[in-house]
Amino acid sequence: MSAHVNGRPPRVGDAPAFRRALIGIVLSLVAIVIIAPLAIIGYQAFSQGLQVYAAAIAHPDTLHAIGLTVVTALIAVPINTAFGVAAAWAITKFDFWGRRFLLVVIEIPFSISPIVAGVAYLFVYGLQGLFGPALESADIKILFALPGIVLASMFVTAPFVARELIPLMQAQGRDLEEAATSLGASGWRTFFSVTLPNIRWALLYGVVLCNARVMGEFGAVSVVSGNIRGQTNTLPLHIELLYHDYQTAGAFAAASILALLAVVTLVAKVLLERQGAGRARRSPALAAPRAAPKTASAEVSS
Amino acid sequence: MARRILPGFPLALGITLVYVSIIVVLPLGALVFKAASLGFEDYWRIVSSPRAVASYRVTALSALAATVFNLVFGMALAWVLVRYRFPGRRFIDALVDLPFALPTAVAGIALTTLFAENGWFGSVLAQAGIKVAYTPLGIMVAMAFTSLPFIVRTVQPVLEDLDPALEEAAQTLGGSDRSIFLRVILPLLAPALLAGLSLSFARSLGEFGAIIFIAGNQPMSTEITALLTFIRLEEYDYQAAAAIASVLLIAAFLMLAVTNILQARALRYTARG
């Protein structure tokens, strides 16, 4: 206990034997729980050689699934981003009745099972749902088609951009924007030249996480897509189909693309966190107006 | 009430309300409407059927076991990342979020392959007579994987901000590491731990993608509630699907309420300190 660690007196848990044992146990568990799943994807994907891997990826159904996943993300992510920015602007720059309630409603999809989300969409657009019969007679296909997949993806990721921006913009207050407008800048100019530079990394952070979830969503999409091979199969659904067909190498080849996306997402996350993104939400002191009494908004929020 | 100085309020709030109404409120409302249109007797008959009750049991118990595992492992991981310096620490710190970044279907087939009887871990465990894949233990493994980051990420910032003076004071008073941890550090972490626990438990209750591959999906023993909902849909039994989905929805709202209360308490706690 008398040994100094990094030039300071030992703190709780700094005893060398304890420290070594705990690091050893935790790292072994990390290897088993986190690294092994990642390793087995690569191992299985290439288990039958590079040619089988390339053939599995180049299969028309797999290529179609990749295309559908990318198209879904290209539609859902920008719409969701626009919503996230609008919600953050409304909630952090203004005080209105029901503000806190709106915050809770935006966070709801985060705590709801994706299966429940899928079922819920069935009861809106399905034949047994609210608009189903009307849509059927107008010959508009939402379920078991691209619009349903996009809607379900937008549900599960609705909070992703907003929850990165709201704590940050809450902490930044309104002074800068108020100064800009009082000097005659328009609303859009204020947003693009004052607000956006301050939130760009957090915004990008939310977009990256949103994109990862949209591309990887399984439960909600599997209910609304109908799993039609070569038509409405997104990449995660295609993986399930191949896996249950005992095409293990093909399933893992397709999975390796999504695993690569996950790794790229993690790298982007680390780089963005170095720019300060994601910190406002992680630090409890900034997350709540109550705990940050110096921000302009705190005095009004109850 | 301050006067609205900044522009864009009607537009921003308008977009927000329209989006939230169409994307979140309308579908959930439709689901509640569908479940409510069943009538109490039919509703009760479906949600209290033996197969449904068995699915609640296996879902809740596996989620509980996974959460307890994550409580211990998550806290140890957060502790190691915050308090110790070792090579690869930042790499491990980044990897903690993998379960959130990795699509659940991918996690599902990876875990199943690892824990199947001929898999890397499954073959070792099989020699000890432990079966993981296609048993309730497999459900627990999948739930523990997908909800691991919650506890690490709620405890980590609190541990980072912990005032060393508190520990030093306890040390000068002659406290052993063990008693300082239990009596000084743990109580300070408790609000964050509880908030992380409830997030982790809620996520496990609703998890679907990672579990269905590894669970075996036998009615009455390894069938989770989310899967039962899905099966009822495939049987075109929409009323039963609505009723069982509404149970998951109610559980989610309860957990959301618990989490919000715990988080508000956790914030009050840190704000005071």
Side-chain angles (χ1 to χ4, degrees):
Chain A
M1 278 299 287
S2 61
H4 281 225
V5 183
N6 301 335
R8 56 172 173 75
R11 295 177 69 178
V12 170
D14 275 354
F18 179 80
R19 186 172 164 270
R20 248 176 259 137
L22 194 59
I23 292 178
I25 294 168
V26 165
L27 290 190
S28 315
L29 275 171
V30 166
I32 291 171
V33 177
I34 301 177
I35 297 174
L38 208 50
I40 193 106
I41 297 165
Y43 177 81
Q44 290 282 348
F46 293 102
S47 60
Q48 289 174 39
L50 203 62
Q51 274 187 330
V52 176
Y53 179 81
I57 302 276
H59 190 280
D61 286 349
T62 307
L63 287 180
H64 185 273
I66 295 171
L68 183 60
T69 300
V70 171
V71 169
T72 304
L74 282 177
I75 303 171
V77 176
I79 298 179
N80 223 329
T81 306
F83 157 71
V85 172
W89 183 265
I91 285 172
T92 62
K93 302 297 175 197
F94 303 96
D95 305 298
F96 54 92
W97 184 84
R99 194 163 144 260
R100 296 212 138 215
F101 181 70
L102 186 58
L103 262 175
V104 173
V105 175
I106 292 174
E107 288 264 332
I108 282 178
F110 194 62
S111 46
I112 281 178
S113 174
I115 284 294
V116 174
V119 174
Y121 270 90
L122 227 50
F123 292 134
V124 179
Y125 303 105
L127 263 184
Q128 0 11 81
L130 294 177
F131 307 148
L135 289 168
E136 169 93 351
S137 55
D139 204 25
I140 301 172
K141 257 184 103 59
I142 290 192
L143 284 185
F144 314 125
L146 183 64
I149 297 172
V150 171
L151 283 170
S153 304
M154 292 201 300
F155 177 95
V156 292
T157 53
F160 275 63
V161 174
R163 66 200 294 269
E164 296 303 332
L165 294 184
I166 288 170
L168 179 68
M169 286 166 69
Q170 188 88 264
Q172 286 172 347
R174 305 168 188 175
D175 298 351
L176 290 176
E177 283 84 1
E178 285 173 1
T181 21
S182 73
L183 292 171
S186 70
W188 291 111
R189 175 122 195 252
T190 304
F191 175 74
F192 282 109
S193 344
V194 179
T195 311
L196 195 58
N198 280 329
I199 62 167
R200 57 187 169 172
W201 299 120
L203 181 65
L204 199 55
Y205 189 83
V207 169
V208 165
L209 296 186
C210 177
N211 177 64
R213 179 69 195 264
V214 167
M215 289 196 163
E217 178 50 29
F218 176 76
V221 172
S222 79
V223 175
V224 297
S225 88
N227 281 39
I228 308 165
R229 192 178 209 151
Q231 283 183 39
T232 62
N233 248 1
T234 61
L235 199 47
L237 299 178
H238 191 58
I239 292 170
E240 184 204 18
L241 195 131
L242 291 173
Y243 187 79
H244 285 148
D245 268 1
Y246 300 102
Q247 300 182 36
T248 313
F252 276 99
S256 72
I257 299 172
L258 287 176
L260 187 66
L261 171 74
V263 171
V264 170
T265 302
L266 287 186
V267 171
K269 204 167 166 292
V270 169
L271 293 178
L272 289 169
E273 274 167 7
R274 266 187 214 160
Q275 305 290 337
R279 208 158 291 159
R281 182 161 56 84
R282 265 188 66 190
S283 159
L286 290 176
R290 202 203 314 256
K294 275 175 199 150
T295 59
S297 57
E299 58 216 39
V300 215
S301 64
S302 50
Chain B
M1 192 68 149
R3 217 164 46 83
R4 280 178 196 136
I5 301 164
L6 295 170
F9 181 64
L11 179 68
L13 189 66
I15 292 174
T16 308
L17 290 181
V18 167
Y19 192 88
V20 163
S21 308
I22 295 177
I23 297 295
V24 181
V25 178
L26 173 71
L28 294 181
L31 172 61
V32 172
F33 177 76
K34 189 79 184 177
S37 68
L38 269 173
F40 182 75
E41 265 174 46
D42 282 339
Y43 181 82
W44 184 251
R45 185 177 45 76
I46 295 167
V47 301
S48 67
S49 73
R51 188 167 165 188
V53 172
S55 82
Y56 310 146
R57 222 179 102 86
V58 68
T59 308
L61 288 179
S62 310
L64 193 67
T67 307
V68 170
F69 172 81
N70 276 344
L71 172 68
V72 178
F73 178 40
M75 212 177 94
L77 187 48
W79 180 274
V80 164
L81 288 175
V82 173
R83 304 287 290 242
Y84 305 146
R85 293 293 171 266
F86 54 93
R89 186 182 65 93
R90 293 165 74 101
F91 176 68
I92 303 288
D93 192 16
L95 267 186
V96 167
D97 287 316
L98 182 77
F100 284 171
L102 196 66
T104 54
V106 177
I109 63 169
L111 291 172
T112 311
T113 308
L114 284 173
F115 285 98
E117 255 175 85
N118 55 359
W120 292 354
F121 301 147
S123 56
V124 179
L125 291 167
Q127 285 171 355
I130 303 170
K131 275 189 68 171
V132 177
Y134 318 120
T135 72
L137 209 55
I139 300 177
M140 198 218 86
V141 167
M143 285 177 170
F145 176 81
T146 50
S147 61
L148 173 67
F150 282 116
I151 290 181
V152 183
R153 294 303 187 215
T154 47
V155 170
Q156 210 175 2
V158 183
L159 210 49
E160 273 164 7
D161 293 343
L162 211 62
D163 188 356
L166 293 169
E167 278 167 59
E168 281 162 21
Q171 279 169 334
T172 58
L173 293 170
S176 66
D177 271 16
R178 193 188 146 87
S179 78
I180 295 172
F181 178 76
L182 289 176
R183 291 181 183 187
V184 179
I185 298 173
L186 202 56
L188 289 168
L189 296 182
L193 270 176
L194 279 173
L197 275 181
S198 69
L199 285 169
S200 168
F201 186 71
R203 169 72 198 252
S204 294
L205 286 184
E207 182 51 37
F208 175 74
I211 297 172
I212 55 160
F213 293 96
I214 202 171
N217 306 328
Q218 291 302 311
M220 308 303 290
S221 66
T222 53
E223 182 179 71
I224 56 165
T225 310
L227 179 68
L228 183 58
T229 313
F230 192 76
I231 288 173
R232 291 295 182 239
L233 274 184
E234 291 197 314
E235 296 168 350
Y236 304 105
D237 189 349
Y238 294 104
Q239 298 194 319
I244 298 168
S246 77
V247 173
L248 280 174
L249 189 65
I250 292 166
F253 277 125
L254 280 178
M255 289 311 300
L256 191 67
V258 170
T259 309
N260 271 330
I261 293 167
L262 289 173
Q263 265 172 348
R265 273 188 47 190
L267 289 171
R268 261 209 302 278
Y269 210 75
T270 31
R272 211 170 39 203

